[in-house]
Structures are given as structure tokens and as C-alpha cells.
Amino acid sequence: MSSAEEKDFGTADANITRYAIETFHPEDAALQEIRIRAKKADLPPIHVGPMDALHLEVLTRMTGAKKVVEIGTLAGLSGLCFLRALPADGRLYTFEYEEKHAKVARETFSKSGFDERYEIFVGEAIKNLPQIEKHGPFDLVFIDADKASYPDYLDWAAKNLKIGGVVLGDNTFAWGEIWKTSFDNPRQALPVNALREFNSRLANDSRFRATILPTGEGLTVGVKVSN
Ligand code: SAH
Ligand code: DHB
Ligand code: MG
């Protein structure tokens, strides 16, 4: 392994995954319980994976973030990772379309004692985001809701992040299809093209320096470097 071409980007080796989980033990009982409770409430099992949950907590601690915006709450699994990373005077603003999901997330945050440290906004995120602009600029924006809207969420983040603030996008390998430019099934085109636009805009916008981390599902990370 010497040339760049020989170094694969990420690994799909199940032994490496098992090793990482055994060594870094990403999920404690509280995080595991969320997956079970969400399943009982009939929510889709599309939370971030165990290692990604840990990545979110560690990345948030690295930034020293106090004000985090999350788009796509689901059952609050990723939200709990942000809350754990925030200082006592930190705040999580999280956006969720489905009241049924928000209800499960409120239980999640309450069980871990974070009642006073978050706000959930129920409805279309793009319509509700303006309500928090008065609390900005923000330190970190995590995008994990409807894939077609990622470019719009990026526009919002670019305007409402502080310089030095971070935007994170989940699922940016598009289930392995991010490299595709033509599609057998036209229904795949919309989310994949939106994720491609999200990545290429972050890569080319002079306001950001960005990379794509080869996590299980692809995690795009951009730092705002200028207005
Ligand atoms: N971040 C969560 C997973 C989010 S799954 C975790 O890792 O724990 C994506 C969520 O986005 C779903 O709950 C879905 O209902 C929500 N969603 C979809 N479209 C949305 C929209 N337009 N506005 C806000 N939330 C939306
Ligand atoms: C889906 C959405 C997600 O955010 C995710 O992490 C996995 C799957 C989905 O819509 O299928
Ligand atoms: Mg996701």
C-alpha cells in the first residue's frame, strides 16, 4: 500500500467494524434503549449508527459548541449525543416534521435529565428555522432530514453559522450511490442528486473548507471560514 490509488477510502470490513465497537464501546444503555423504544413506537430505524453517534459527540466536544441546530430529530438518538457534548449553558435546537417522532424524542431527552436544555420545533424544518435566527449565530448545524432539502438547509447554515462554525451532513454516500450520474430508477435521482449538490456546493463554496469522512454512511464536514 503505497500509492494513493491503493488506499481505499474507508473500509467495509466487518472485522474492523466489530473491533471499533468493541474497543470504543460507542453506545451505553441509554442510547441502546432509544433504539428499542423507537421500534416499539413504530418509528423507522434510521437513527445514526453506533459509531456515528460517538463521532457526533466527539466532534461536538472538539468544536466547543454551545448552540447546536439539528435538522431531523427522529427519536432523539443523535440529539442526546449533542446534549451530552454541550456545556451546562449550551442549547440544542432540533427540528422534526412528525409529532409522533418528536414525542419519542422528548421522552429520550427527559429520561437523560435534559428537559431544560433543548427545544423541538415540529413541522417542516425549512418553515420553522427562521424562528431561531434571533438566537444565532450558531456553532454547529447537523443536517439529517429529507435528502432533497439538503441544499436549502446548507443555504440556511451558511447564513446562520458563526465563522469557525461547523456544518455536518449525514448519509452523504447516498447508500453507496453518491457517485452515480444516471439512474435506472428515476425515483433514486432526486435524493442522490440533492446530496451530490450538497457535497459539491460545500466543496466549492469559498465560505467553507469541507471534507467527506468515510464513516459507515458518509459524513460531510464543513467549517465556515468566511462570510
Ligand atoms: N438524526 C436522527 C435521525 C433522523 S431521521 C438520529 O440519528 O437519531 C430523519 C428525520 O427527519 C425523520 O424523523 C423525519 O420525520 C424527519 N424529517 C423528514 N422531512 C423533514 C422536514 N421537511 N422537516 C423536518 N423533519 C423532517
Ligand atoms: C434514511 C434517512 C436517514 O437519515 C438515514 O440515516 C438512513 C435512512 C431514509 O430516509 O431511508
Ligand atoms: Mg441519517
Side-chain angles (χ1 to χ4, degrees), residues 46-48 70 72-79 95-98 101 123-125 142 144-146 153:
I46 56 174
H47 326 267
V48 291
E70 174 181 68
T73 318
L74 191 62
L77 195 150
S78 53
F95 293 79
E96 173 53 53
Y97 185 74
E98 301 282 351
H101 300 184
E124 275 182 51
F142 175 54
D144 192 20
D146 51 318
Y153 299 144

mmCIF file with all atom_site columns, all heavy atoms in Angstrom, residues 46-48 70 72-79 95-98 101 123-125 142 144-146 153, ligand 1:
data_model
loop_
_atom_site.group_PDB
_atom_site.id
_atom_site.type_symbol
_atom_site.label_atom_id
_atom_site.label_alt_id
_atom_site.label_comp_id
_atom_site.label_asym_id
_atom_site.label_entity_id
_atom_site.label_seq_id
_atom_site.pdbx_PDB_ins_code
_atom_site.Cartn_x
_atom_site.Cartn_y
_atom_site.Cartn_z
_atom_site.occupancy
_atom_site.B_iso_or_equiv
_atom_site.pdbx_formal_charge
_atom_site.auth_seq_id
_atom_site.auth_comp_id
_atom_site.auth_asym_id
_atom_site.auth_atom_id
_atom_site.pdbx_PDB_model_num
ATOM   1   N N   . ILE A 1 46  ? -33.891 4.537  11.419 1.00 0.00 ? 46  ILE A N   1
ATOM   2   C CA  . ILE A 1 46  ? -32.926 5.289  10.602 1.00 0.00 ? 46  ILE A CA  1
ATOM   3   C C   . ILE A 1 46  ? -32.117 6.290  11.443 1.00 0.00 ? 46  ILE A C   1
ATOM   4   O O   . ILE A 1 46  ? -31.676 7.318  10.959 1.00 0.00 ? 46  ILE A O   1
ATOM   5   C CB  . ILE A 1 46  ? -33.627 5.983  9.402  1.00 0.00 ? 46  ILE A CB  1
ATOM   6   C CG1 . ILE A 1 46  ? -34.763 6.900  9.863  1.00 0.00 ? 46  ILE A CG1 1
ATOM   7   C CG2 . ILE A 1 46  ? -34.160 4.937  8.417  1.00 0.00 ? 46  ILE A CG2 1
ATOM   8   C CD1 . ILE A 1 46  ? -35.388 7.731  8.723  1.00 0.00 ? 46  ILE A CD1 1
ATOM   9   N N   . HIS A 1 47  ? -31.946 5.955  12.727 1.00 0.00 ? 47  HIS A N   1
ATOM   10  C CA  . HIS A 1 47  ? -31.039 6.730  13.589 1.00 0.00 ? 47  HIS A CA  1
ATOM   11  C C   . HIS A 1 47  ? -29.618 6.608  13.010 1.00 0.00 ? 47  HIS A C   1
ATOM   12  O O   . HIS A 1 47  ? -29.317 5.648  12.298 1.00 0.00 ? 47  HIS A O   1
ATOM   13  C CB  . HIS A 1 47  ? -30.986 6.152  15.013 1.00 0.00 ? 47  HIS A CB  1
ATOM   14  C CG  . HIS A 1 47  ? -32.253 5.563  15.512 1.00 0.00 ? 47  HIS A CG  1
ATOM   15  N ND1 . HIS A 1 47  ? -33.160 6.278  16.246 1.00 0.00 ? 47  HIS A ND1 1
ATOM   16  C CD2 . HIS A 1 47  ? -32.790 4.318  15.379 1.00 0.00 ? 47  HIS A CD2 1
ATOM   17  C CE1 . HIS A 1 47  ? -34.177 5.498  16.565 1.00 0.00 ? 47  HIS A CE1 1
ATOM   18  N NE2 . HIS A 1 47  ? -33.980 4.308  16.049 1.00 0.00 ? 47  HIS A NE2 1
ATOM   19  N N   . VAL A 1 48  ? -28.734 7.519  13.377 1.00 0.00 ? 48  VAL A N   1
ATOM   20  C CA  . VAL A 1 48  ? -27.317 7.330  13.029 1.00 0.00 ? 48  VAL A CA  1
ATOM   21  C C   . VAL A 1 48  ? -26.846 6.008  13.641 1.00 0.00 ? 48  VAL A C   1
ATOM   22  O O   . VAL A 1 48  ? -27.378 5.561  14.658 1.00 0.00 ? 48  VAL A O   1
ATOM   23  C CB  . VAL A 1 48  ? -26.410 8.493  13.517 1.00 0.00 ? 48  VAL A CB  1
ATOM   24  C CG1 . VAL A 1 48  ? -26.682 9.775  12.753 1.00 0.00 ? 48  VAL A CG1 1
ATOM   25  C CG2 . VAL A 1 48  ? -26.518 8.707  15.023 1.00 0.00 ? 48  VAL A CG2 1
ATOM   26  N N   . GLU A 1 70  ? -30.108 20.928 14.976 1.00 0.00 ? 70  GLU A N   1
ATOM   27  C CA  . GLU A 1 70  ? -30.229 19.603 14.355 1.00 0.00 ? 70  GLU A CA  1
ATOM   28  C C   . GLU A 1 70  ? -31.484 19.586 13.487 1.00 0.00 ? 70  GLU A C   1
ATOM   29  O O   . GLU A 1 70  ? -32.571 19.910 13.968 1.00 0.00 ? 70  GLU A O   1
ATOM   30  C CB  . GLU A 1 70  ? -30.347 18.534 15.443 1.00 0.00 ? 70  GLU A CB  1
ATOM   31  C CG  . GLU A 1 70  ? -30.627 17.153 14.870 1.00 0.00 ? 70  GLU A CG  1
ATOM   32  C CD  . GLU A 1 70  ? -30.764 16.107 15.962 1.00 0.00 ? 70  GLU A CD  1
ATOM   33  O OE1 . GLU A 1 70  ? -31.747 16.160 16.741 1.00 0.00 ? 70  GLU A OE1 1
ATOM   34  O OE2 . GLU A 1 70  ? -29.888 15.238 16.048 1.00 0.00 ? 70  GLU A OE2 1
ATOM   35  N N   . GLY A 1 72  ? -33.873 17.105 11.680 1.00 0.00 ? 72  GLY A N   1
ATOM   36  C CA  . GLY A 1 72  ? -34.200 15.672 11.654 1.00 0.00 ? 72  GLY A CA  1
ATOM   37  C C   . GLY A 1 72  ? -33.933 15.047 13.006 1.00 0.00 ? 72  GLY A C   1
ATOM   38  O O   . GLY A 1 72  ? -32.843 14.546 13.283 1.00 0.00 ? 72  GLY A O   1
ATOM   39  N N   . THR A 1 73  ? -34.947 15.092 13.906 1.00 0.00 ? 73  THR A N   1
ATOM   40  C CA  . THR A 1 73  ? -34.766 14.651 15.303 1.00 0.00 ? 73  THR A CA  1
ATOM   41  C C   . THR A 1 73  ? -34.946 13.145 15.457 1.00 0.00 ? 73  THR A C   1
ATOM   42  O O   . THR A 1 73  ? -34.241 12.508 16.231 1.00 0.00 ? 73  THR A O   1
ATOM   43  C CB  . THR A 1 73  ? -35.818 15.336 16.219 1.00 0.00 ? 73  THR A CB  1
ATOM   44  O OG1 . THR A 1 73  ? -35.949 16.707 15.867 1.00 0.00 ? 73  THR A OG1 1
ATOM   45  C CG2 . THR A 1 73  ? -35.446 15.202 17.677 1.00 0.00 ? 73  THR A CG2 1
ATOM   46  N N   . LEU A 1 74  ? -35.962 12.589 14.768 1.00 0.00 ? 74  LEU A N   1
ATOM   47  C CA  . LEU A 1 74  ? -36.427 11.208 14.945 1.00 0.00 ? 74  LEU A CA  1
ATOM   48  C C   . LEU A 1 74  ? -36.671 10.946 16.442 1.00 0.00 ? 74  LEU A C   1
ATOM   49  O O   . LEU A 1 74  ? -37.434 11.667 17.066 1.00 0.00 ? 74  LEU A O   1
ATOM   50  C CB  . LEU A 1 74  ? -35.453 10.221 14.287 1.00 0.00 ? 74  LEU A CB  1
ATOM   51  C CG  . LEU A 1 74  ? -35.955 8.770  14.171 1.00 0.00 ? 74  LEU A CG  1
ATOM   52  C CD1 . LEU A 1 74  ? -37.206 8.668  13.299 1.00 0.00 ? 74  LEU A CD1 1
ATOM   53  C CD2 . LEU A 1 74  ? -34.876 7.838  13.609 1.00 0.00 ? 74  LEU A CD2 1
ATOM   54  N N   . ALA A 1 75  ? -36.007 9.956  17.038 1.00 0.00 ? 75  ALA A N   1
ATOM   55  C CA  . ALA A 1 75  ? -36.267 9.603  18.438 1.00 0.00 ? 75  ALA A CA  1
ATOM   56  C C   . ALA A 1 75  ? -35.307 10.287 19.409 1.00 0.00 ? 75  ALA A C   1
ATOM   57  O O   . ALA A 1 75  ? -35.304 9.982  20.606 1.00 0.00 ? 75  ALA A O   1
ATOM   58  C CB  . ALA A 1 75  ? -36.184 8.094  18.610 1.00 0.00 ? 75  ALA A CB  1
ATOM   59  N N   . GLY A 1 76  ? -34.450 11.160 18.884 1.00 0.00 ? 76  GLY A N   1
ATOM   60  C CA  . GLY A 1 76  ? -33.543 11.893 19.756 1.00 0.00 ? 76  GLY A CA  1
ATOM   61  C C   . GLY A 1 76  ? -32.218 11.193 20.032 1.00 0.00 ? 76  GLY A C   1
ATOM   62  O O   . GLY A 1 76  ? -31.489 11.594 20.939 1.00 0.00 ? 76  GLY A O   1
ATOM   63  N N   . LEU A 1 77  ? -31.880 10.180 19.230 1.00 0.00 ? 77  LEU A N   1
ATOM   64  C CA  . LEU A 1 77  ? -30.615 9.482  19.494 1.00 0.00 ? 77  LEU A CA  1
ATOM   65  C C   . LEU A 1 77  ? -29.422 10.396 19.211 1.00 0.00 ? 77  LEU A C   1
ATOM   66  O O   . LEU A 1 77  ? -28.587 10.630 20.094 1.00 0.00 ? 77  LEU A O   1
ATOM   67  C CB  . LEU A 1 77  ? -30.531 8.174  18.685 1.00 0.00 ? 77  LEU A CB  1
ATOM   68  C CG  . LEU A 1 77  ? -29.431 7.218  19.159 1.00 0.00 ? 77  LEU A CG  1
ATOM   69  C CD1 . LEU A 1 77  ? -29.812 5.761  18.904 1.00 0.00 ? 77  LEU A CD1 1
ATOM   70  C CD2 . LEU A 1 77  ? -28.093 7.509  18.500 1.00 0.00 ? 77  LEU A CD2 1
ATOM   71  N N   . SER A 1 78  ? -29.361 10.958 18.020 1.00 0.00 ? 78  SER A N   1
ATOM   72  C CA  . SER A 1 78  ? -28.265 11.894 17.737 1.00 0.00 ? 78  SER A CA  1
ATOM   73  C C   . SER A 1 78  ? -28.391 13.134 18.626 1.00 0.00 ? 78  SER A C   1
ATOM   74  O O   . SER A 1 78  ? -27.376 13.675 19.081 1.00 0.00 ? 78  SER A O   1
ATOM   75  C CB  . SER A 1 78  ? -28.231 12.277 16.258 1.00 0.00 ? 78  SER A CB  1
ATOM   76  O OG  . SER A 1 78  ? -29.482 12.755 15.822 1.00 0.00 ? 78  SER A OG  1
ATOM   77  N N   . GLY A 1 79  ? -29.627 13.555 18.902 1.00 0.00 ? 79  GLY A N   1
ATOM   78  C CA  . GLY A 1 79  ? -29.839 14.716 19.768 1.00 0.00 ? 79  GLY A CA  1
ATOM   79  C C   . GLY A 1 79  ? -29.235 14.512 21.150 1.00 0.00 ? 79  GLY A C   1
ATOM   80  O O   . GLY A 1 79  ? -28.632 15.436 21.717 1.00 0.00 ? 79  GLY A O   1
ATOM   81  N N   . PHE A 1 95  ? -35.242 20.022 14.925 1.00 0.00 ? 95  PHE A N   1
ATOM   82  C CA  . PHE A 1 95  ? -36.388 20.216 14.022 1.00 0.00 ? 95  PHE A CA  1
ATOM   83  C C   . PHE A 1 95  ? -36.879 18.872 13.496 1.00 0.00 ? 95  PHE A C   1
ATOM   84  O O   . PHE A 1 95  ? -36.086 18.077 12.981 1.00 0.00 ? 95  PHE A O   1
ATOM   85  C CB  . PHE A 1 95  ? -35.977 21.132 12.850 1.00 0.00 ? 95  PHE A CB  1
ATOM   86  C CG  . PHE A 1 95  ? -35.690 22.533 13.309 1.00 0.00 ? 95  PHE A CG  1
ATOM   87  C CD1 . PHE A 1 95  ? -34.476 22.840 13.907 1.00 0.00 ? 95  PHE A CD1 1
ATOM   88  C CD2 . PHE A 1 95  ? -36.645 23.528 13.188 1.00 0.00 ? 95  PHE A CD2 1
ATOM   89  C CE1 . PHE A 1 95  ? -34.222 24.129 14.377 1.00 0.00 ? 95  PHE A CE1 1
ATOM   90  C CE2 . PHE A 1 95  ? -36.400 24.816 13.644 1.00 0.00 ? 95  PHE A CE2 1
ATOM   91  C CZ  . PHE A 1 95  ? -35.185 25.115 14.242 1.00 0.00 ? 95  PHE A CZ  1
ATOM   92  N N   . GLU A 1 96  ? -38.184 18.642 13.646 1.00 0.00 ? 96  GLU A N   1
ATOM   93  C CA  . GLU A 1 96  ? -38.759 17.350 13.264 1.00 0.00 ? 96  GLU A CA  1
ATOM   94  C C   . GLU A 1 96  ? -40.134 17.545 12.642 1.00 0.00 ? 96  GLU A C   1
ATOM   95  O O   . GLU A 1 96  ? -40.980 18.254 13.203 1.00 0.00 ? 96  GLU A O   1
ATOM   96  C CB  . GLU A 1 96  ? -38.849 16.443 14.511 1.00 0.00 ? 96  GLU A CB  1
ATOM   97  C CG  . GLU A 1 96  ? -39.581 15.147 14.285 1.00 0.00 ? 96  GLU A CG  1
ATOM   98  C CD  . GLU A 1 96  ? -39.074 14.322 13.111 1.00 0.00 ? 96  GLU A CD  1
ATOM   99  O OE1 . GLU A 1 96  ? -37.866 14.050 13.041 1.00 0.00 ? 96  GLU A OE1 1
ATOM   100 O OE2 . GLU A 1 96  ? -39.898 13.970 12.238 1.00 0.00 ? 96  GLU A OE2 1
ATOM   101 N N   . TYR A 1 97  ? -40.384 16.903 11.521 1.00 0.00 ? 97  TYR A N   1
ATOM   102 C CA  . TYR A 1 97  ? -41.660 17.037 10.823 1.00 0.00 ? 97  TYR A CA  1
ATOM   103 C C   . TYR A 1 97  ? -42.799 16.334 11.558 1.00 0.00 ? 97  TYR A C   1
ATOM   104 O O   . TYR A 1 97  ? -43.910 16.847 11.646 1.00 0.00 ? 97  TYR A O   1
ATOM   105 C CB  . TYR A 1 97  ? -41.510 16.459 9.407  1.00 0.00 ? 97  TYR A CB  1
ATOM   106 C CG  . TYR A 1 97  ? -42.742 16.648 8.565  1.00 0.00 ? 97  TYR A CG  1
ATOM   107 C CD1 . TYR A 1 97  ? -43.049 17.906 8.051  1.00 0.00 ? 97  TYR A CD1 1
ATOM   108 C CD2 . TYR A 1 97  ? -43.609 15.590 8.299  1.00 0.00 ? 97  TYR A CD2 1
ATOM   109 C CE1 . TYR A 1 97  ? -44.183 18.101 7.284  1.00 0.00 ? 97  TYR A CE1 1
ATOM   110 C CE2 . TYR A 1 97  ? -44.750 15.785 7.532  1.00 0.00 ? 97  TYR A CE2 1
ATOM   111 C CZ  . TYR A 1 97  ? -45.028 17.041 7.032  1.00 0.00 ? 97  TYR A CZ  1
ATOM   112 O OH  . TYR A 1 97  ? -46.149 17.235 6.285  1.00 0.00 ? 97  TYR A OH  1
ATOM   113 N N   . GLU A 1 98  ? -42.526 15.134 12.097 1.00 0.00 ? 98  GLU A N   1
ATOM   114 C CA  . GLU A 1 98  ? -43.579 14.278 12.649 1.00 0.00 ? 98  GLU A CA  1
ATOM   115 C C   . GLU A 1 98  ? -43.736 14.461 14.161 1.00 0.00 ? 98  GLU A C   1
ATOM   116 O O   . GLU A 1 98  ? -42.790 14.176 14.925 1.00 0.00 ? 98  GLU A O   1
ATOM   117 C CB  . GLU A 1 98  ? -43.234 12.795 12.403 1.00 0.00 ? 98  GLU A CB  1
ATOM   118 C CG  . GLU A 1 98  ? -43.065 12.423 10.947 1.00 0.00 ? 98  GLU A CG  1
ATOM   119 C CD  . GLU A 1 98  ? -44.396 12.250 10.233 1.00 0.00 ? 98  GLU A CD  1
ATOM   120 O OE1 . GLU A 1 98  ? -45.468 12.255 10.888 1.00 0.00 ? 98  GLU A OE1 1
ATOM   121 O OE2 . GLU A 1 98  ? -44.356 12.127 8.997  1.00 0.00 ? 98  GLU A OE2 1
ATOM   122 N N   . HIS A 1 101 ? -42.730 11.405 16.125 1.00 0.00 ? 101 HIS A N   1
ATOM   123 C CA  . HIS A 1 101 ? -41.295 11.256 16.390 1.00 0.00 ? 101 HIS A CA  1
ATOM   124 C C   . HIS A 1 101 ? -40.864 12.195 17.517 1.00 0.00 ? 101 HIS A C   1
ATOM   125 O O   . HIS A 1 101 ? -40.103 11.803 18.409 1.00 0.00 ? 101 HIS A O   1
ATOM   126 C CB  . HIS A 1 101 ? -40.482 11.545 15.125 1.00 0.00 ? 101 HIS A CB  1
ATOM   127 C CG  . HIS A 1 101 ? -40.794 10.644 13.962 1.00 0.00 ? 101 HIS A CG  1
ATOM   128 N ND1 . HIS A 1 101 ? -40.108 10.701 12.764 1.00 0.00 ? 101 HIS A ND1 1
ATOM   129 C CD2 . HIS A 1 101 ? -41.714 9.657  13.806 1.00 0.00 ? 101 HIS A CD2 1
ATOM   130 C CE1 . HIS A 1 101 ? -40.598 9.803  11.927 1.00 0.00 ? 101 HIS A CE1 1
ATOM   131 N NE2 . HIS A 1 101 ? -41.579 9.154  12.527 1.00 0.00 ? 101 HIS A NE2 1
ATOM   132 N N   . GLY A 1 123 ? -42.782 20.323 12.533 1.00 0.00 ? 123 GLY A N   1
ATOM   133 C CA  . GLY A 1 123 ? -43.278 20.801 11.241 1.00 0.00 ? 123 GLY A CA  1
ATOM   134 C C   . GLY A 1 123 ? -42.136 20.800 10.242 1.00 0.00 ? 123 GLY A C   1
ATOM   135 O O   . GLY A 1 123 ? -41.052 20.274 10.522 1.00 0.00 ? 123 GLY A O   1
ATOM   136 N N   . GLU A 1 124 ? -42.371 21.377 9.079  1.00 0.00 ? 124 GLU A N   1
ATOM   137 C CA  . GLU A 1 124 ? -41.320 21.435 8.059  1.00 0.00 ? 124 GLU A CA  1
ATOM   138 C C   . GLU A 1 124 ? -40.179 22.310 8.545  1.00 0.00 ? 124 GLU A C   1
ATOM   139 O O   . GLU A 1 124 ? -40.380 23.500 8.841  1.00 0.00 ? 124 GLU A O   1
ATOM   140 C CB  . GLU A 1 124 ? -41.872 22.022 6.764  1.00 0.00 ? 124 GLU A CB  1
ATOM   141 C CG  . GLU A 1 124 ? -42.533 20.994 5.874  1.00 0.00 ? 124 GLU A CG  1
ATOM   142 C CD  . GLU A 1 124 ? -43.013 21.609 4.575  1.00 0.00 ? 124 GLU A CD  1
ATOM   143 O OE1 . GLU A 1 124 ? -42.210 22.294 3.914  1.00 0.00 ? 124 GLU A OE1 1
ATOM   144 O OE2 . GLU A 1 124 ? -44.191 21.416 4.256  1.00 0.00 ? 124 GLU A OE2 1
ATOM   145 N N   . ALA A 1 125 ? -38.986 21.738 8.586  1.00 0.00 ? 125 ALA A N   1
ATOM   146 C CA  . ALA A 1 125 ? -37.838 22.462 9.134  1.00 0.00 ? 125 ALA A CA  1
ATOM   147 C C   . ALA A 1 125 ? -37.612 23.787 8.416  1.00 0.00 ? 125 ALA A C   1
ATOM   148 O O   . ALA A 1 125 ? -37.330 24.805 9.069  1.00 0.00 ? 125 ALA A O   1
ATOM   149 C CB  . ALA A 1 125 ? -36.590 21.591 9.061  1.00 0.00 ? 125 ALA A CB  1
ATOM   150 N N   . PHE A 1 142 ? -26.337 20.251 12.211 1.00 0.00 ? 142 PHE A N   1
ATOM   151 C CA  . PHE A 1 142 ? -26.316 18.848 11.757 1.00 0.00 ? 142 PHE A CA  1
ATOM   152 C C   . PHE A 1 142 ? -27.543 18.620 10.873 1.00 0.00 ? 142 PHE A C   1
ATOM   153 O O   . PHE A 1 142 ? -28.673 18.807 11.318 1.00 0.00 ? 142 PHE A O   1
ATOM   154 C CB  . PHE A 1 142 ? -26.361 17.910 12.962 1.00 0.00 ? 142 PHE A CB  1
ATOM   155 C CG  . PHE A 1 142 ? -26.472 16.443 12.613 1.00 0.00 ? 142 PHE A CG  1
ATOM   156 C CD1 . PHE A 1 142 ? -25.566 15.840 11.749 1.00 0.00 ? 142 PHE A CD1 1
ATOM   157 C CD2 . PHE A 1 142 ? -27.468 15.650 13.181 1.00 0.00 ? 142 PHE A CD2 1
ATOM   158 C CE1 . PHE A 1 142 ? -25.659 14.475 11.443 1.00 0.00 ? 142 PHE A CE1 1
ATOM   159 C CE2 . PHE A 1 142 ? -27.570 14.288 12.890 1.00 0.00 ? 142 PHE A CE2 1
ATOM   160 C CZ  . PHE A 1 142 ? -26.657 13.709 12.015 1.00 0.00 ? 142 PHE A CZ  1
ATOM   161 N N   . ASP A 1 144 ? -29.836 16.066 8.780  1.00 0.00 ? 144 ASP A N   1
ATOM   162 C CA  . ASP A 1 144 ? -30.128 14.620 8.712  1.00 0.00 ? 144 ASP A CA  1
ATOM   163 C C   . ASP A 1 144 ? -31.616 14.372 8.434  1.00 0.00 ? 144 ASP A C   1
ATOM   164 O O   . ASP A 1 144 ? -32.155 13.354 8.828  1.00 0.00 ? 144 ASP A O   1
ATOM   165 C CB  . ASP A 1 144 ? -29.702 13.959 10.042 1.00 0.00 ? 144 ASP A CB  1
ATOM   166 C CG  . ASP A 1 144 ? -29.684 12.445 9.951  1.00 0.00 ? 144 ASP A CG  1
ATOM   167 O OD1 . ASP A 1 144 ? -29.621 11.900 8.833  1.00 0.00 ? 144 ASP A OD1 1
ATOM   168 O OD2 . ASP A 1 144 ? -29.731 11.793 11.019 1.00 0.00 ? 144 ASP A OD2 1
ATOM   169 N N   . ALA A 1 145 ? -32.305 15.321 7.753  1.00 0.00 ? 145 ALA A N   1
ATOM   170 C CA  . ALA A 1 145 ? -33.730 15.112 7.454  1.00 0.00 ? 145 ALA A CA  1
ATOM   171 C C   . ALA A 1 145 ? -33.883 14.757 5.970  1.00 0.00 ? 145 ALA A C   1
ATOM   172 O O   . ALA A 1 145 ? -33.037 14.055 5.427  1.00 0.00 ? 145 ALA A O   1
ATOM   173 C CB  . ALA A 1 145 ? -34.523 16.354 7.847  1.00 0.00 ? 145 ALA A CB  1
ATOM   174 N N   . ASP A 1 146 ? -34.977 15.188 5.342  1.00 0.00 ? 146 ASP A N   1
ATOM   175 C CA  . ASP A 1 146 ? -35.251 14.859 3.932  1.00 0.00 ? 146 ASP A CA  1
ATOM   176 C C   . ASP A 1 146 ? -34.075 15.263 3.029  1.00 0.00 ? 146 ASP A C   1
ATOM   177 O O   . ASP A 1 146 ? -33.646 16.412 3.027  1.00 0.00 ? 146 ASP A O   1
ATOM   178 C CB  . ASP A 1 146 ? -36.557 15.521 3.485  1.00 0.00 ? 146 ASP A CB  1
ATOM   179 C CG  . ASP A 1 146 ? -36.601 17.017 3.804  1.00 0.00 ? 146 ASP A CG  1
ATOM   180 O OD1 . ASP A 1 146 ? -36.180 17.408 4.915  1.00 0.00 ? 146 ASP A OD1 1
ATOM   181 O OD2 . ASP A 1 146 ? -37.020 17.773 2.926  1.00 0.00 ? 146 ASP A OD2 1
ATOM   182 N N   . TYR A 1 153 ? -31.048 23.501 3.304  1.00 0.00 ? 153 TYR A N   1
ATOM   183 C CA  . TYR A 1 153 ? -30.555 23.539 4.687  1.00 0.00 ? 153 TYR A CA  1
ATOM   184 C C   . TYR A 1 153 ? -29.125 24.093 4.729  1.00 0.00 ? 153 TYR A C   1
ATOM   185 O O   . TYR A 1 153 ? -28.755 24.812 5.659  1.00 0.00 ? 153 TYR A O   1
ATOM   186 C CB  . TYR A 1 153 ? -30.614 22.144 5.334  1.00 0.00 ? 153 TYR A CB  1
ATOM   187 C CG  . TYR A 1 153 ? -32.009 21.553 5.418  1.00 0.00 ? 153 TYR A CG  1
ATOM   188 C CD1 . TYR A 1 153 ? -32.222 20.192 5.256  1.00 0.00 ? 153 TYR A CD1 1
ATOM   189 C CD2 . TYR A 1 153 ? -33.122 22.359 5.672  1.00 0.00 ? 153 TYR A CD2 1
ATOM   190 C CE1 . TYR A 1 153 ? -33.501 19.637 5.346  1.00 0.00 ? 153 TYR A CE1 1
ATOM   191 C CE2 . TYR A 1 153 ? -34.401 21.821 5.752  1.00 0.00 ? 153 TYR A CE2 1
ATOM   192 C CZ  . TYR A 1 153 ? -34.579 20.460 5.586  1.00 0.00 ? 153 TYR A CZ  1
ATOM   193 O OH  . TYR A 1 153 ? -35.837 19.922 5.670  1.00 0.00 ? 153 TYR A OH  1
HETATM 194 N N1  . SAH B 2 .   ? -30.970 12.470 13.478 1.00 0.00 ? 1   SAH B N1  1
HETATM 195 C C1  . SAH B 2 .   ? -31.766 11.300 13.860 1.00 0.00 ? 1   SAH B C1  1
HETATM 196 C C2  . SAH B 2 .   ? -32.314 10.597 12.642 1.00 0.00 ? 1   SAH B C2  1
HETATM 197 C C3  . SAH B 2 .   ? -33.168 11.466 11.759 1.00 0.00 ? 1   SAH B C3  1
HETATM 198 S S1  . SAH B 2 .   ? -34.087 10.508 10.582 1.00 0.00 ? 1   SAH B S1  1
HETATM 199 C C4  . SAH B 2 .   ? -30.867 10.346 14.631 1.00 0.00 ? 1   SAH B C4  1
HETATM 200 O O1  . SAH B 2 .   ? -29.796 9.998  14.102 1.00 0.00 ? 1   SAH B O1  1
HETATM 201 O O2  . SAH B 2 .   ? -31.213 9.951  15.758 1.00 0.00 ? 1   SAH B O2  1
HETATM 202 C C5  . SAH B 2 .   ? -34.802 11.788 9.644  1.00 0.00 ? 1   SAH B C5  1
HETATM 203 C C6  . SAH B 2 .   ? -35.933 12.541 10.343 1.00 0.00 ? 1   SAH B C6  1
HETATM 204 O O3  . SAH B 2 .   ? -36.215 13.700 9.563  1.00 0.00 ? 1   SAH B O3  1
HETATM 205 C C7  . SAH B 2 .   ? -37.245 11.748 10.442 1.00 0.00 ? 1   SAH B C7  1
HETATM 206 O O4  . SAH B 2 .   ? -37.689 11.696 11.784 1.00 0.00 ? 1   SAH B O4  1
HETATM 207 C C8  . SAH B 2 .   ? -38.211 12.535 9.584  1.00 0.00 ? 1   SAH B C8  1
HETATM 208 O O5  . SAH B 2 .   ? -39.553 12.545 10.070 1.00 0.00 ? 1   SAH B O5  1
HETATM 209 C C9  . SAH B 2 .   ? -37.610 13.939 9.625  1.00 0.00 ? 1   SAH B C9  1
HETATM 210 N N2  . SAH B 2 .   ? -37.983 14.807 8.505  1.00 0.00 ? 1   SAH B N2  1
HETATM 211 C C10 . SAH B 2 .   ? -38.226 14.459 7.216  1.00 0.00 ? 1   SAH B C10 1
HETATM 212 N N3  . SAH B 2 .   ? -38.546 15.528 6.485  1.00 0.00 ? 1   SAH B N3  1
HETATM 213 C C11 . SAH B 2 .   ? -38.499 16.600 7.307  1.00 0.00 ? 1   SAH B C11 1
HETATM 214 C C12 . SAH B 2 .   ? -38.734 18.005 7.162  1.00 0.00 ? 1   SAH B C12 1
HETATM 215 N N4  . SAH B 2 .   ? -39.081 18.520 5.983  1.00 0.00 ? 1   SAH B N4  1
HETATM 216 N N5  . SAH B 2 .   ? -38.598 18.810 8.230  1.00 0.00 ? 1   SAH B N5  1
HETATM 217 C C13 . SAH B 2 .   ? -38.230 18.294 9.437  1.00 0.00 ? 1   SAH B C13 1
HETATM 218 N N6  . SAH B 2 .   ? -38.002 16.973 9.648  1.00 0.00 ? 1   SAH B N6  1
HETATM 219 C C14 . SAH B 2 .   ? -38.132 16.140 8.603  1.00 0.00 ? 1   SAH B C14 1
#
